[in-house]
Amino acid sequence: PRASPPPDALLVPVTLPASARGECKRVADVLQQPDSLALGPELESELQLLARIIYRHQSQHRGSLHLRQARMLLAGCRKVAAAQTHQVLSSARSLCKPDDGGAPCRELLDFLCARAVSDAVLAMRGRRVAGLLFESMGCQLRRTYFMPLALTLMPLAARVHAVLSARVRALGGMFERVRAA
């Protein structure tokens, strides 16, 4: 399921009078700051590996807690990847042309703030599930059960946790910058 794109009415630039161009320049500066919202290949490779592990072990471990958590992590990460907040942000960036007096409308900035909050919530849920999977695999490792599976899933959960934590920080920074604009 993909997140809804911004309505077309929000993607129409607003022409500001010459007296308000300083404010437009400030909004443009906020939107042009570098961000790390685009999910890189590191999360994609982790999700492919996780999907392969789930497929490979689903017959033997189908009722186990750690496989349920792995499935929840995969579903949560797919939702985070489908959010595509970076594309909405790039649409807003394309509207900001302070020299021409063009600026994104306030509704688009509010939409960006709302999208940042909802995406951060999705990423925090995935981060929580990654932590639970890590703890579950640690328990399996302490009992010396399914050690190869535990030694594979623990670092994978830790890497996904780190990527999602960076995403939450980036979304929080974007929210603060846009809200202050």
Side-chain angles (χ1 to χ4, degrees):
R2 291 231 182 267
S4 62
D8 291 335
L10 296 183
L11 296 178
V12 176
V14 177
T15 304
L16 297 175
S19 60
R21 293 212 177 153
E23 179 182 338
C24 178
K25 176 97 171 110
R26 187 171 50 104
V27 171
D29 291 343
V30 165
L31 291 178
Q32 297 301 331
Q33 289 179 359
D35 61 327
S36 58
L37 294 179
L39 292 173
E42 63 272 355
L43 186 62
E44 273 304 312
S45 62
E46 301 301 326
L47 292 182
Q48 289 174 353
L49 180 60
L50 184 59
R52 181 74 180 144
I53 289 170
I54 290 171
Y55 177 78
R56 179 86 188 229
H57 294 279
Q58 68 187 356
S59 62
Q60 183 179 5
H61 301 280
R62 69 178 156 265
S64 66
L65 176 65
H66 57 272
L67 196 65
R68 276 185 286 163
Q69 289 170 341
R71 281 191 200 113
M72 286 173 36
L73 180 60
L74 182 63
C77 287
R78 284 185 175 158
K79 286 179 184 177
V80 168
Q84 299 178 346
T85 303
H86 64 283
Q87 291 180 347
V88 176
L89 187 59
S90 67
S91 296
R93 284 179 179 153
S94 68
L95 294 176
C96 251
K97 296 179 179 78
D99 299 334
D100 300 336
C105 60
R106 187 71 224 173
E107 290 83 9
L108 179 60
L109 296 177
D110 292 341
F111 182 79
L112 278 172
C113 286
R115 180 62 74 87
V117 169
S118 66
D119 289 356
V121 167
L122 286 175
M124 287 171 28
R125 285 180 187 164
R127 190 175 64 176
R128 182 182 59 84
V129 173
L132 292 173
L133 178 61
F134 185 87
E135 291 172 10
S136 177
M137 288 292 94
C139 183
Q140 294 292 333
L141 201 56
R142 282 190 295 278
R143 293 181 185 162
T144 66
Y145 295 155
F146 309 113
M147 289 185 73
L149 180 64
L151 289 173
T152 304
L153 283 177
M154 279 183 80
L156 190 138
R159 287 190 301 265
V160 168
H161 187 278
V163 168
L164 292 178
S165 294
R167 182 160 177 89
V168 168
R169 284 191 299 276
L171 285 166
M174 184 192 86
F175 175 79
E176 289 299 323
R177 289 192 314 266
V178 171
R179 190 179 65 160

